Coordinates of all heavy atoms in Angstrom, one line a residue:
E135 N -30.3 -27.2 -21.4 CA -30.2 -28.6 -21.6 C -31.1 -28.9 -22.8 O -32.0 -28.1 -23.1 CB -30.9 -29.3 -20.4 CG -30.7 -30.8 -20.4 CD -31.1 -31.4 -19.1 OE1 -30.3 -31.5 -18.2 OE2 -32.3 -31.8 -19.0
G136 N -30.7 -30.0 -23.5 CA -31.5 -30.4 -24.7 C -31.3 -29.5 -25.9 O -30.3 -28.8 -26.0
R137 N -32.2 -29.7 -26.8 CA -32.0 -28.9 -28.1 C -32.1 -27.5 -27.9 O -32.9 -26.9 -27.1 CB -33.0 -29.4 -29.1 CG -34.4 -29.0 -29.0 CD -35.4 -29.7 -29.9 NE -35.6 -31.0 -29.5 CZ -36.3 -31.9 -30.3 NH1 -36.9 -31.5 -31.4 NH2 -36.5 -33.1 -29.9
V138 N -31.3 -26.7 -28.7 CA -31.3 -25.2 -28.6 C -32.6 -24.8 -29.2 O -33.1 -25.2 -30.2 CB -30.1 -24.7 -29.5 CG1 -30.2 -23.2 -29.5 CG2 -28.8 -25.2 -28.9
P139 N -33.3 -23.8 -28.5 CA -34.6 -23.3 -29.0 C -34.6 -23.0 -30.5 O -35.6 -23.3 -31.2 CB -34.9 -22.1 -28.1 CG -34.2 -22.4 -26.9 CD -32.9 -23.2 -27.3
Q140 N -33.5 -22.3 -30.9 CA -33.5 -21.8 -32.4 C -33.6 -23.0 -33.4 O -34.0 -22.8 -34.5 CB -32.3 -21.0 -32.6 CG -32.3 -19.6 -32.0 CD -31.1 -18.8 -32.2 OE1 -30.0 -19.4 -32.6 NE2 -31.1 -17.5 -32.1
T141 N -33.1 -24.2 -32.9 CA -33.2 -25.3 -33.9 C -34.7 -25.8 -34.2 O -34.8 -26.5 -35.1 CB -32.4 -26.5 -33.4 OG1 -32.9 -27.0 -32.1 CG2 -30.9 -26.1 -33.1
V142 N -35.6 -25.4 -33.3 CA -37.0 -25.8 -33.5 C -37.7 -24.7 -34.4 O -38.8 -25.0 -34.9 CB -37.7 -25.9 -32.1 CG1 -39.0 -26.5 -32.2 CG2 -36.8 -26.7 -31.2
W143 N -37.1 -23.5 -34.6 CA -37.7 -22.5 -35.3 C -38.2 -22.9 -36.7 O -39.3 -22.6 -37.1 CB -36.8 -21.3 -35.4 CG -36.7 -20.4 -34.2 CD1 -37.3 -20.6 -33.1 CD2 -35.9 -19.3 -34.0 NE1 -37.0 -19.7 -32.1 CE2 -36.1 -18.8 -32.7 CE3 -35.0 -18.6 -34.8 CZ2 -35.5 -17.7 -32.2 CZ3 -34.4 -17.5 -34.3 CH2 -34.6 -17.0 -33.0
P144 N -37.4 -23.6 -37.5 CA -37.8 -24.0 -38.9 C -39.1 -24.8 -38.8 O -40.1 -24.5 -39.7 CB -36.7 -24.8 -39.4 CG -35.5 -24.3 -38.7 CD -36.0 -24.0 -37.3
A145 N -39.3 -25.7 -38.0 CA -40.5 -26.5 -37.9 C -41.6 -25.7 -37.4 O -42.8 -25.8 -37.9 CB -40.3 -27.7 -37.0
L146 N -41.4 -24.8 -36.4 CA -42.5 -23.9 -35.9 C -43.0 -23.0 -37.1 O -44.2 -22.8 -37.2 CB -41.9 -23.1 -34.7 CG -41.6 -23.8 -33.4 CD1 -40.8 -23.0 -32.5 CD2 -42.9 -24.3 -32.8
R147 N -42.0 -22.4 -37.8 CA -42.4 -21.5 -38.8 C -43.1 -22.2 -39.9 O -44.1 -21.7 -40.5 CB -41.1 -20.8 -39.3 CG -40.6 -19.8 -38.4 CD -39.2 -19.3 -38.7 NE -38.7 -18.3 -37.8 CZ -37.4 -17.9 -37.8 NH1 -36.5 -18.5 -38.7 NH2 -37.0 -17.0 -36.9
A148 N -42.7 -23.4 -40.2 CA -43.4 -24.2 -41.3 C -44.8 -24.5 -40.9 O -45.8 -24.6 -41.8 CB -42.6 -25.5 -41.6
A149 N -45.1 -24.7 -39.6 CA -46.4 -25.0 -39.1 C -47.2 -23.8 -38.9 O -48.4 -23.9 -38.4 CB -46.3 -25.9 -37.9
G150 N -46.6 -22.6 -39.0 CA -47.3 -21.4 -38.7 C -47.6 -21.2 -37.2 O -48.6 -20.5 -36.8
V151 N -46.7 -21.6 -36.3 CA -46.8 -21.4 -34.9 C -45.9 -20.3 -34.4 O -44.7 -20.1 -34.8 CB -46.3 -22.7 -34.2 CG1 -46.4 -22.5 -32.6 CG2 -47.2 -23.9 -34.5
T152 N -46.6 -19.4 -33.7 CA -45.9 -18.2 -33.1 C -45.5 -18.5 -31.6 O -46.3 -19.2 -30.9 CB -46.8 -17.0 -33.1 OG1 -47.0 -16.6 -34.5 CG2 -46.2 -15.8 -32.4
V153 N -44.4 -18.1 -31.2 CA -43.9 -18.3 -29.8 C -43.8 -17.0 -29.2 O -43.0 -16.1 -29.6 CB -42.6 -19.0 -29.7 CG1 -42.2 -19.2 -28.2 CG2 -42.6 -20.4 -30.4
N154 N -44.6 -16.7 -28.1 CA -44.5 -15.5 -27.3 C -43.9 -15.9 -25.9 O -44.0 -17.1 -25.5 CB -45.8 -14.8 -27.1 CG -46.3 -14.2 -28.5 OD1 -45.6 -13.9 -29.3 ND2 -47.6 -14.2 -28.6
A155 N -43.4 -15.0 -25.1 CA -42.8 -15.4 -23.9 C -43.1 -14.3 -22.8 O -43.3 -13.2 -23.1 CB -41.3 -15.5 -24.0
L156 N -43.3 -14.8 -21.6 CA -43.3 -14.0 -20.3 C -42.1 -14.3 -19.6 O -41.9 -15.4 -19.0 CB -44.5 -14.2 -19.6 CG -44.6 -13.4 -18.2 CD1 -44.4 -11.9 -18.5 CD2 -45.9 -13.7 -17.5
V157 N -41.2 -13.4 -19.5 CA -39.8 -13.6 -18.9 C -39.9 -13.0 -17.5 O -40.2 -11.9 -17.3 CB -38.8 -12.9 -19.7 CG1 -37.3 -13.2 -19.2 CG2 -39.0 -13.3 -21.2
I158 N -39.4 -13.9 -16.5 CA -39.4 -13.5 -15.2 C -38.0 -13.3 -14.8 O -37.1 -14.2 -14.7 CB -40.0 -14.6 -14.2 CG1 -41.4 -15.0 -14.7 CG2 -40.0 -14.2 -12.8 CD1 -41.9 -16.3 -14.2
E159 N -37.6 -12.1 -14.6 CA -36.2 -11.6 -14.4 C -35.7 -11.6 -13.0 O -34.7 -10.9 -12.7 CB -35.9 -10.3 -15.1 CG -36.1 -10.3 -16.6 CD -35.4 -9.1 -17.3 OE1 -35.0 -8.2 -16.6 OE2 -35.3 -9.2 -18.5
A160 N -36.4 -12.3 -12.1 CA -36.1 -12.3 -10.7 C -34.7 -12.5 -10.4 O -34.0 -11.9 -9.5 CB -37.0 -13.2 -9.9
S161 N -34.0 -13.5 -11.1 CA -32.6 -13.9 -10.6 C -31.7 -13.6 -11.7 O -30.5 -13.7 -11.5 CB -32.6 -15.4 -10.4 OG -33.1 -16.1 -11.5
L162 N -32.2 -13.1 -13.0 CA -31.3 -12.8 -14.0 C -31.7 -11.6 -14.8 O -32.4 -11.7 -15.8 CB -31.2 -14.1 -14.9 CG -30.1 -14.1 -16.0 CD1 -28.7 -13.9 -15.4 CD2 -30.1 -15.3 -16.8
P163 N -31.4 -10.4 -14.3 CA -31.7 -9.2 -15.1 C -31.2 -9.2 -16.5 O -30.1 -9.7 -16.8 CB -31.0 -8.1 -14.2 CG -30.9 -8.7 -12.9 CD -30.6 -10.1 -13.1
G164 N -32.0 -8.8 -17.4 CA -31.7 -8.8 -18.8 C -32.0 -10.0 -19.6 O -31.8 -10.1 -20.8
L165 N -32.7 -10.9 -18.9 CA -33.1 -12.2 -19.5 C -34.0 -12.0 -20.6 O -34.0 -12.9 -21.6 CB -33.7 -13.1 -18.5 CG -34.1 -14.6 -18.8 CD1 -32.9 -15.3 -19.3 CD2 -34.9 -15.2 -17.7
T166 N -34.8 -11.0 -20.6 CA -35.7 -10.7 -21.7 C -35.0 -10.7 -23.1 O -35.5 -11.2 -24.1 CB -36.6 -9.5 -21.5 OG1 -37.3 -9.5 -20.3 CG2 -37.5 -9.2 -22.6
R167 N -33.9 -10.1 -23.1 CA -33.2 -10.0 -24.4 C -32.8 -11.4 -24.9 O -32.9 -11.6 -26.1 CB -31.9 -9.2 -24.1 CG -31.0 -8.9 -25.4 CD -31.8 -8.3 -26.5 NE -31.0 -8.1 -27.6 CZ -31.6 -7.9 -28.9 NH1 -32.9 -7.7 -29.0 NH2 -30.8 -7.6 -29.9
Y168 N -32.4 -12.3 -24.1 CA -32.2 -13.7 -24.5 C -33.4 -14.3 -25.1 O -33.4 -14.9 -26.2 CB -31.7 -14.5 -23.3 CG -31.7 -16.0 -23.6 CD1 -30.8 -16.7 -24.4 CD2 -32.8 -16.7 -23.2 CE1 -30.8 -18.0 -24.7 CE2 -32.9 -18.2 -23.4 CZ -31.9 -18.8 -24.2 OH -31.9 -20.1 -24.5
F169 N -34.6 -14.2 -24.5 CA -35.8 -14.7 -25.1 C -36.1 -14.0 -26.4 O -36.6 -14.7 -27.3 CB -36.9 -14.5 -24.1 CG -37.0 -15.6 -23.1 CD1 -36.2 -15.7 -22.0 CD2 -37.9 -16.7 -23.3 CE1 -36.3 -16.7 -21.1 CE2 -38.1 -17.7 -22.4 CZ -37.2 -17.8 -21.3
E170 N -35.9 -12.7 -26.5 CA -36.1 -12.0 -27.8 C -35.3 -12.5 -28.8 O -35.7 -12.6 -30.1 CB -35.9 -10.6 -27.5 CG -37.0 -9.9 -26.7 CD -36.7 -8.4 -26.4 OE1 -35.6 -8.0 -26.5 OE2 -37.6 -7.7 -26.0
T171 N -34.0 -12.8 -28.7 CA -33.1 -13.3 -29.8 C -33.0 -14.8 -29.9 O -32.7 -15.2 -31.0 CB -31.7 -12.7 -29.4 OG1 -31.2 -13.3 -28.1 CG2 -31.6 -11.3 -29.3
D172 N -33.4 -15.5 -28.9 CA -33.1 -17.0 -29.0 C -34.4 -17.9 -28.8 O -34.3 -19.1 -29.1 CB -32.1 -17.5 -27.9 CG -30.7 -17.0 -28.3 OD1 -30.5 -15.7 -28.3 OD2 -29.8 -17.8 -28.4
V173 N -35.5 -17.3 -28.5 CA -36.6 -18.2 -28.1 C -37.9 -17.8 -29.0 O -38.4 -18.6 -29.7 CB -37.0 -18.0 -26.6 CG1 -38.3 -18.9 -26.4 CG2 -35.9 -18.5 -25.7
I174 N -38.4 -16.5 -28.9 CA -39.6 -16.2 -29.6 C -39.4 -16.2 -31.1 O -38.3 -16.0 -31.6 CB -40.2 -14.8 -29.2 CG1 -39.2 -13.7 -29.5 CG2 -40.3 -14.8 -27.6 CD1 -39.8 -12.3 -29.4
T175 N -40.5 -16.5 -31.9 CA -40.5 -16.6 -33.3 C -41.9 -16.5 -33.8 O -42.9 -16.7 -33.1 CB -39.7 -17.8 -33.7 OG1 -39.6 -17.9 -35.2 CG2 -40.6 -19.0 -33.4
G176 N -42.0 -16.1 -35.0 CA -43.3 -16.0 -35.8 C -43.8 -14.6 -35.9 O -43.2 -13.7 -35.2
P177 N -44.7 -14.4 -36.7 CA -45.3 -13.0 -37.0 C -45.8 -12.3 -35.8 O -46.6 -12.9 -35.0 CB -46.5 -13.2 -38.0 CG -46.2 -14.6 -38.6 CD -45.5 -15.4 -37.5
G178 N -45.2 -11.1 -35.5 CA -45.7 -10.4 -34.3 C -45.2 -10.9 -33.0 O -45.8 -10.5 -31.9
A179 N -44.3 -11.9 -33.0 CA -43.9 -12.5 -31.7 C -43.3 -11.5 -30.8 O -42.6 -10.6 -31.2 CB -42.9 -13.6 -31.9
F180 N -43.5 -11.6 -29.4 CA -43.1 -10.6 -28.5 C -42.7 -11.3 -27.1 O -43.2 -12.4 -26.9 CB -44.0 -9.5 -28.2 CG -45.3 -10.0 -27.6 CD1 -45.5 -9.9 -26.2 CD2 -46.4 -10.5 -28.3 CE1 -46.6 -10.3 -25.6 CE2 -47.5 -10.9 -27.7 CZ -47.7 -10.8 -26.3
A181 N -41.9 -10.7 -26.4 CA -41.5 -11.1 -25.0 C -41.9 -10.0 -24.0 O -41.5 -8.9 -24.2 CB -40.0 -11.4 -24.9
A182 N -42.7 -10.4 -23.0 CA -43.0 -9.5 -22.0 C -42.2 -9.8 -20.7 O -41.7 -10.8 -20.6 CB -44.5 -9.6 -21.7
T183 N -42.1 -8.8 -19.9 CA -41.2 -9.0 -18.7 C -41.9 -8.8 -17.4 O -42.7 -7.8 -17.3 CB -40.1 -8.0 -18.8 OG1 -39.4 -8.1 -20.0 CG2 -39.1 -8.1 -17.6
A184 N -41.7 -9.7 -16.5 CA -42.1 -9.6 -15.0 C -40.8 -9.5 -14.3 O -40.0 -10.4 -14.3 CB -42.9 -10.7 -14.6
N185 N -40.5 -8.4 -13.6 CA -39.2 -8.2 -12.9 C -39.1 -9.2 -11.7 O -38.0 -9.6 -11.3 CB -39.1 -6.8 -12.5 CG -38.9 -5.8 -13.6 OD1 -38.1 -6.0 -14.4 ND2 -39.8 -4.8 -13.6
T186 N -40.2 -9.6 -11.2 CA -40.2 -10.5 -10.1 C -41.4 -11.5 -10.2 O -42.3 -11.2 -11.1 CB -40.4 -9.9 -8.7 OG1 -41.8 -9.2 -8.6 CG2 -39.3 -8.8 -8.5
F187 N -41.4 -12.6 -9.4 CA -42.6 -13.5 -9.5 C -43.9 -12.7 -9.1 O -45.0 -13.1 -9.5 CB -42.4 -14.8 -8.8 CG -41.6 -15.8 -9.5 CD1 -40.2 -15.8 -9.4 CD2 -42.2 -16.8 -10.2 CE1 -39.5 -16.8 -10.2 CE2 -41.6 -17.7 -10.9 CZ -40.2 -17.7 -10.9
D188 N -43.7 -11.8 -8.1 CA -44.9 -11.1 -7.7 C -45.6 -10.3 -8.8 O -46.8 -10.0 -8.7 CB -44.5 -10.2 -6.6 CG -44.2 -10.9 -5.3 OD1 -44.6 -12.1 -5.1 OD2 -43.5 -10.4 -4.4
E189 N -44.9 -9.9 -9.8 CA -45.4 -9.2 -11.0 C -46.1 -10.1 -11.9 O -46.7 -9.6 -12.9 CB -44.3 -8.4 -11.7 CG -43.8 -7.2 -10.8 CD -42.8 -6.3 -11.5 OE1 -42.6 -6.6 -12.8 OE2 -42.2 -5.4 -10.9
Y190 N -45.9 -11.4 -11.8 CA -46.4 -12.4 -12.8 C -47.8 -12.2 -13.0 O -48.3 -12.2 -14.2 CB -45.9 -13.8 -12.4 CG -46.4 -14.9 -13.3 CD1 -45.6 -15.4 -14.3 CD2 -47.7 -15.4 -13.3 CE1 -46.0 -16.3 -15.2 CE2 -48.1 -16.4 -14.1 CZ -47.3 -16.8 -15.1 OH -47.7 -17.8 -16.0
P191 N -48.7 -12.3 -12.0 CA -50.1 -12.2 -12.2 C -50.6 -11.1 -13.1 O -51.4 -11.3 -14.1 CB -50.8 -12.1 -10.9 CG -49.7 -12.8 -10.0 CD -48.3 -12.3 -10.6
E192 N -50.1 -9.9 -12.9 CA -50.5 -8.7 -13.7 C -50.0 -8.7 -15.0 O -50.7 -8.5 -16.0 CB -49.9 -7.4 -13.0 CG -50.3 -6.1 -13.7 CD -49.8 -4.9 -13.0 OE1 -49.2 -5.0 -11.9 OE2 -49.9 -3.8 -13.6
E193 N -48.7 -9.2 -15.2 CA -48.1 -9.3 -16.5 C -48.7 -10.3 -17.4 O -48.8 -10.2 -18.6 CB -46.6 -9.5 -16.4 CG -45.9 -8.3 -15.7 CD -46.1 -7.0 -16.5 OE1 -46.3 -7.0 -17.8 OE2 -46.1 -5.9 -15.9
I194 N -49.1 -11.5 -16.8 CA -49.6 -12.5 -17.6 C -51.0 -12.2 -18.2 O -51.4 -12.5 -19.3 CB -49.7 -13.9 -16.9 CG1 -50.0 -15.1 -17.8 CG2 -50.7 -13.9 -15.7 CD1 -49.1 -15.3 -18.9

Side-chain angles (χ1 to χ4, degrees):
E135 187 173 275
R137 70 188 77 182
V138 175
Q140 288 180 337
T141 64
V142 189
W143 283 0
L146 290 166
R147 290 167 177 168
V151 176
T152 295
V153 179
N154 297 325
L156 177 53
V157 186
I158 305 160
E159 294 199 348
S161 58
L162 191 58
L165 182 63
T166 300
R167 181 59 181 160
Y168 165 79
F169 273 79
E170 289 174 339
T171 59
D172 290 61
V173 177
I174 66 171
T175 186
F180 67 95
T183 303
N185 293 304
T186 65
F187 276 90
D188 288 340
E189 291 183 7
Y190 180 94
E192 179 180 356
E193 293 302 330
I194 192 64

